[in-house]
Amino acid sequence: MPIDLKQFRENLTYRAQAPVAQIISDLQEIAEIDRLAELKQKEYGKKALYYFLGIVIAIGLIIVVSITLTNTQLLGGLALLLIVAILGLAIAFIVALITRAKFGRINVINYRYQAAQKILQMLSRDMDANTNVKLNLSFQPIHKNEYKTTTTPHPHKSGWKIDNYQHEWISIQGSFLDKTRFELSATSLSKKQYGWKRGSSGKSKYKSKIKSGGLDIHLNLTYSQRRYGAIKILQSEIDGALKLPKLSNLRNLRLTDKSMQLAVRIAPNVADNQAEIYQTVTAMFLSLYHVLNLAKSLSK
């Protein structure tokens, strides 16, 4: 279904429960909206610059003619025309800035819809084409009060504080052909340090520094006990089955006779890299399914 642009601009969130093909079509529409927003931002940014330069030139002309012209009647007429031009350019400048900001609102974070689309395409290979998938995809920036988890004093800088942020920007739920249900989510982590720092001149200036904490990915598989009944026998072998990318680290791994939970953290320097996110998610699914396939063969 078409994206409601007004609603999308307001909440910057896409939610759907539909077949993968429909969701991918919507994500492609979001990508097109984002591409158009980027182009329009540049266009109106240039227009605002030109209008501003026009204002500067008009003011300069007023100064020049007021110095060079001695005919007061002609000077008054030219000054009036230039003042009208300045007012017109000022209005156009403000409108251009407002329009640029409007398009900036829907110039969303590219890697999120790119990663979501690639992950869904990968998952769809083992799903019924008519099976619904539930997707929540947020394009909100992480540094908002609603995503702030804690505020602590800086351990080394007196008077400084550290805000910690967590934002789950994607969650996907669905089921495969073998009836195994999956729940996948990704949560961005970030820290913001801020406070006042005295410079060499003796004046205090407000300083802030933002540092990514990485990306936590959680995967939960819930499967049939009858099909994979021997899963608990493989408890000691599951660690060896994990094959993760070099920049991803295991955070948690839990296995029961009904489900497996796997948590991985992607390094901060690639936490917004859609290719790294996709590779990590793919490796997580392949690793857990390697264990499930072993359990299936033992259960026969």
Side-chain angles (χ1 to χ4, degrees):
M1 58 182 178
I3 301 296
D4 186 331
L5 191 57
K6 182 180 179 181
Q7 184 178 8
F8 183 68
R9 183 184 287 112
E10 288 176 356
N11 55 36
L12 292 179
T13 302
Y14 170 78
R15 295 185 179 92
Q17 188 164 354
V20 170
Q22 178 61 60
I23 293 177
I24 288 177
S25 176
D26 289 349
L27 293 177
Q28 290 171 344
E29 185 178 346
I30 290 174
E32 185 60 27
I33 291 171
D34 178 50
R35 187 189 68 82
L36 178 62
E38 289 177 359
L39 292 174
K40 289 296 183 180
Q41 258 197 303
K42 291 179 181 178
E43 177 186 337
Y44 283 95
K46 287 181 179 179
K47 285 184 177 181
L49 177 61
Y50 295 150
Y51 294 143
F52 177 75
L53 291 175
I55 292 170
V56 172
I57 292 170
I59 292 173
L61 286 174
I62 289 176
I63 295 171
V64 170
V65 297
S66 65
I67 295 173
T68 57
L69 284 181
T70 56
N71 187 324
T72 55
Q73 187 175 359
L74 180 59
L75 176 61
L78 285 174
L80 180 61
L81 287 174
L82 289 170
I83 289 171
V84 170
I86 289 171
L87 289 174
L89 288 169
I91 293 171
F93 174 70
I94 293 169
V95 170
L97 288 180
I98 293 172
T99 307
R100 183 179 183 275
K102 182 180 177 181
F103 281 108
R105 177 71 177 169
I106 53 174
N107 184 1
V108 295
I109 304 170
N110 300 33
Y111 77 87
R112 293 185 182 177
Y113 63 74
Q114 291 169 349
Q117 181 172 335
K118 291 192 69 175
I119 291 169
L120 286 170
Q121 288 172 334
M122 179 267 292
L123 296 175
S124 67
R125 297 169 194 156
D126 295 301
M127 297 176 63
D128 187 302
N130 297 316
T131 298
N132 281 353
V133 170
K134 185 177 180 181
L135 171 66
N136 288 331
L137 182 61
S138 170
F139 296 96
Q140 293 280 2
I142 187 172
H143 298 106
K144 298 185 68 176
N145 284 335
E146 60 188 288
Y147 305 130
K148 187 191 298 184
T149 55
T150 58
T151 299
T152 58
H154 197 288
H156 308 300
K157 297 180 180 179
S158 177
W160 279 52
K161 293 182 179 180
I162 299 176
D163 289 343
N164 295 288
Y165 296 85
Q166 292 185 9
H167 176 30
E168 182 184 283
W169 55 265
I170 187 172
S171 67
I172 307 174
Q173 298 177 28
S175 60
F176 293 120
L177 291 170
D178 64 355
K179 308 303 180 184
T180 297
R181 297 191 303 276
F182 63 84
E183 297 177 20
L184 176 73
S185 67
T187 302
S188 292
L189 309 172
S190 183
K191 291 184 178 182
K192 181 180 179 182
Q193 305 176 21
Y194 57 94
W196 292 89
K197 184 178 180 180
R198 189 178 298 276
S200 56
S201 63
K203 294 182 179 180
S204 294
K205 292 184 179 180
Y206 178 81
K207 298 284 186 178
S208 65
K209 183 179 180 181
I210 294 174
K211 184 178 180 181
S212 171
L215 181 70
D216 280 352
I217 301 180
H218 296 264
L219 173 60
N220 180 43
L221 295 182
T222 305
Y223 38 77
S224 166
Q225 285 181 273
R226 186 173 62 178
R227 182 185 289 264
Y228 302 110
I231 189 74
K232 297 200 77 173
I233 302 174
L234 302 172
Q235 179 76 52
S236 60
E237 299 181 30
I238 192 169
D239 287 344
L242 291 177
K243 304 294 182 184
L244 299 173
K246 291 182 179 180
L247 295 175
S248 299
N249 297 308
L250 177 65
R251 299 285 293 176
N252 186 42
L253 177 60
R254 184 169 176 265
L255 184 150
T256 70
D257 55 357
K258 295 181 180 180
S259 67
M260 281 191 288
Q261 293 90 40
L262 175 60
V264 170
R265 178 168 294 178
I266 297 179
N269 58 314
V270 289
D272 58 357
N273 184 306
Q274 63 91 8
E276 189 70 28
I277 295 170
Y278 172 73
Q279 290 171 11
T280 301
V281 169
T282 301
M284 292 170 72
F285 273 100
L286 289 176
S287 295
L288 294 191
Y289 254 93
H290 177 67
V291 178
L292 285 179
N293 288 333
L294 286 175
K296 182 180 178 181
S297 63
L298 291 173
S299 299
K300 291 181 179 179

